[in-house]
Amino acid sequence: MSTVPTGPAAARRTPRGLAASPSTRVRTLAAAGVAALAAAAVAGLVDGVGEHGDLSAYDPTVTADAVHLRTPVLTILAEVVTMVGSEVAVGLLTAGVVVWLAVRRRDRLRALHFGATMAVSAAVTLGVKHLVGRGRPPASVVLGPVDTGYSFPSGHTLFSTVFFGLVALLVADRLAEHRGGRALALAGWLVASVTVGASRIYLGYHWFTDVAAGWVLGVLVLALAVAALGLLHHRGAAGRSAAPHAEADVPSLGRDRGAGLEPVAGAVEGVDDARPAR
């Protein structure tokens, strides 16, 4: 008869992912709620841009204020920040992180998740840009080469928000027992996202609501990514929890079968003993 392991044996058989499943479910539900709020915010921004009202009504004023704040030092800083947040730079950084996760950390699931999330952010950027079709600020306020592509949302802002958010999640997971480290990771993500977005307004490439849409869409993509990762971990924990029970039943089954065959073996031996010698 099989027995349920208790004490140290039970602790060894309990998967770590199973113990963390309640917090994983809470995290997944919270991410789904954030994604819903972000989607509603994006819908509001798109509606305002289409009607030239709401927050988009303040776009010319914000751009004019940014032009008045320009100084040689701020311009150099803005150009450096916007270069770090460019599609090319973020793409190279993404490739580096994916390779590090897959080769160095041997975490192929997390590597695939990181790369897929960045690919989704690129698809969302292109899709919304063509869906809204908004023009950029006038060329007279642009510091640098003029970009004739669509303006809404800011691709630099969205890519940076998603990329640095994913990096912050990796750091937070590594520092799960250190609240201070997790707070610093979150602060770093916020500073990087806000700085890149502000540089796009300062250099005249985007309206304020373009950047705001980049932030909100970035949060939306991140929230969906966190929810998806939570579901993957939950399924993995469920699969690992089922395996020990199956393994525990196999030895007991062998013992039960052996116990049932003992009387038969004894009877056969008795028959052999009763046979006359030839």
Side-chain angles (χ1 to χ4, degrees), residues 73-254:
V73 175
L74 287 178
T75 298
I76 293 175
L77 292 175
E79 289 174 344
V80 171
V81 170
T82 206
M83 180 181 64
V84 173
S86 65
E87 289 87 345
V88 175
V90 172
L92 293 175
L93 291 172
T94 298
V97 174
V98 169
V99 171
W100 176 76
L101 287 171
V103 178
R104 184 70 176 179
R105 299 292 303 171
R106 298 185 182 276
D107 191 347
R108 295 182 179 180
L109 174 62
R110 204 63 183 262
L112 178 62
H113 177 265
F114 199 106
T117 302
M118 292 305 301
V120 169
S121 68
V124 169
T125 300
L126 293 176
V128 177
K129 277 182 180 291
H130 286 83
L131 177 65
V132 178
R134 188 186 195 187
R136 292 181 180 267
S140 59
V141 302
V142 178
L143 291 178
V146 176
D147 191 340
T148 57
Y150 293 129
S151 185
F152 185 99
S154 168
H156 284 60
T157 305
L158 198 157
F159 291 148
S160 299
T161 299
V162 175
F163 174 79
F164 290 110
L166 290 173
V167 171
L169 287 173
L170 290 175
V171 174
D173 288 343
R174 294 276 292 176
L175 302 176
E177 304 300 327
H178 299 81
R179 293 185 178 181
R182 299 177 68 180
L184 286 176
L186 176 61
W189 167 58
L190 292 174
V191 169
S193 302
V194 171
T195 303
V196 171
S199 72
R200 302 305 288 166
I201 299 173
Y202 178 90
L203 295 174
Y205 283 100
H206 284 285
W207 304 107
F208 168 72
T209 46
D210 301 337
V211 172
W215 287 327
V216 177
L217 280 170
V219 171
L220 173 60
V221 173
L222 279 174
L224 293 176
V226 170
L229 189 62
L231 291 175
L232 289 174
H233 283 171
H234 180 69
R235 291 182 61 183
R240 290 193 300 271
S241 64
H245 295 292
E247 294 174 358
D249 289 341
V250 172
S252 64
L253 181 60

Side-chain angles (χ1 to χ4, degrees), residues 12-30:
R12 288 193 300 268
R13 290 181 180 273
T14 302
R16 288 181 298 174
L18 186 62
S21 59
S23 61
T24 301
R25 286 195 293 268
V26 172
R27 187 176 181 179
T28 302
L29 291 175

